[in-house]
Amino acid sequence: MAIQQFGLKLRYEGGDADDHLLELYDGTASLHGFAQALQIATHAYLHGQVYSKATALKGATLYLKAARPGSLITDLIAKIDKTSRNLNPTPASFYDFLKFAFSRATGTAEQEPETPYVRRLLENDEPFFDDLAETLEGSLQRAHRAIEKGGIDSVTLERPKGEQLNVFNKQTYLWVNTREEKPDVFDLTGNVTRYNSVTGNGRAYIHELSRIVPFRLSEDFAFGKRGLLTWSLHGSATNVSHQLDIQARRVESAHGEVKRLILVDCQQSTRTN
């Protein structure tokens, strides 16, 4: 298979970046964070697997190109030489995957995927993207170092000709910097909308939050209760109300918004409406 190349840009704006400068420690920490995040996301794109170690990338190599004189636009290049899962990498699907994955990982407004490959991934296993988003958080925390400490207003991930994929700023910094998992267990009511029986990850509409929230199972979640999650999901598929009373711990962003739930227990709901 011929090697394919996909270019990317990181555009730093605001503060010292407007004078073509980036504080050395914060700037290199930021670049390292983006390098880790892009390695993890590229591996997930190619293999449909979420690994937390950036060094696990197989079938592709990401490069940092020489800096442009007098500029803080950093050029990157991904060289992809082999894949699995019968994927034929294309620029459209690669950039679409990165755009969607980083949007979900930073809590920004998601647009529907634009390519059949990413749409198929989302339809077949949406919790895959939630798992990837959680795995990317540590890398993206480091990627925001230039915003957190270095006085930079934003960093934009772009295609080679300047088409914007993602913008990282103070709002996304607050999202990726997750607070510690709260020890308190909250009583909630909802129904499962997506569920992966292999990983135990899923999504549920939570009445108290009035929105869909990703979840994963706690280590002490009873194996025998997993059938209730499938039962609730089946209700969503057949437009029958299969509500659950859920006991869960919350994981919040730095500004207090619930990002995901850690399910401790659940029962068929006693809720009547």
Side-chain angles (χ1 to χ4, degrees), residues 63-204:
Y63 293 91
L64 178 68
K65 295 180 71 176
R68 300 182 185 188
S71 174
L72 263 168
I73 300 174
T74 300
D75 291 297
L76 310 173
I77 190 166
K79 289 190 176 183
I80 297 176
D81 55 3
K82 60 182 178 179
T83 68
S84 63
R85 305 172 71 242
N86 298 317
L87 169 67
N88 179 27
T90 65
S93 65
F94 177 68
Y95 296 129
D96 191 32
F97 185 92
L98 293 183
K99 181 178 181 179
F100 188 83
F102 286 138
S103 292
R104 179 156 289 189
T106 54
T108 50
E110 294 177 5
Q111 297 182 4
E112 288 298 312
E114 299 171 356
T115 58
Y117 175 69
V118 182
R119 279 197 297 269
R120 188 166 59 250
L121 278 178
L122 185 65
E123 292 168 0
N124 292 344
D125 186 11
E126 185 171 3
F128 165 78
F129 282 102
D130 295 322
D131 190 16
L132 177 58
E134 187 173 359
T135 302
L136 286 168
E137 279 183 358
S139 300
L140 289 175
Q141 287 170 10
R142 290 182 283 278
H144 281 76
R145 174 85 186 195
I147 296 170
E148 176 195 8
K149 301 287 188 181
I152 300 301
D153 292 335
S154 66
V155 184
T156 306
L157 180 65
E158 302 176 355
R159 295 182 62 157
K161 293 185 179 180
E163 180 184 338
Q164 177 179 300
L165 296 175
N166 303 92
V167 178
F168 305 89
N169 52 31
K170 290 181 173 60
Q171 284 298 110
T172 59
Y173 161 74
L174 290 173
W175 181 267
V176 299
N177 279 271
T178 306
R179 290 178 178 173
E180 292 294 323
E181 178 183 319
K182 288 183 174 292
D184 298 334
V185 175
F186 292 84
D187 292 321
L188 304 166
T189 305
N191 59 281
V192 175
T193 61
R194 295 278 188 160
Y195 179 56
N196 184 316
S197 59
V198 176
T199 64
N201 296 334
R203 307 195 118 212

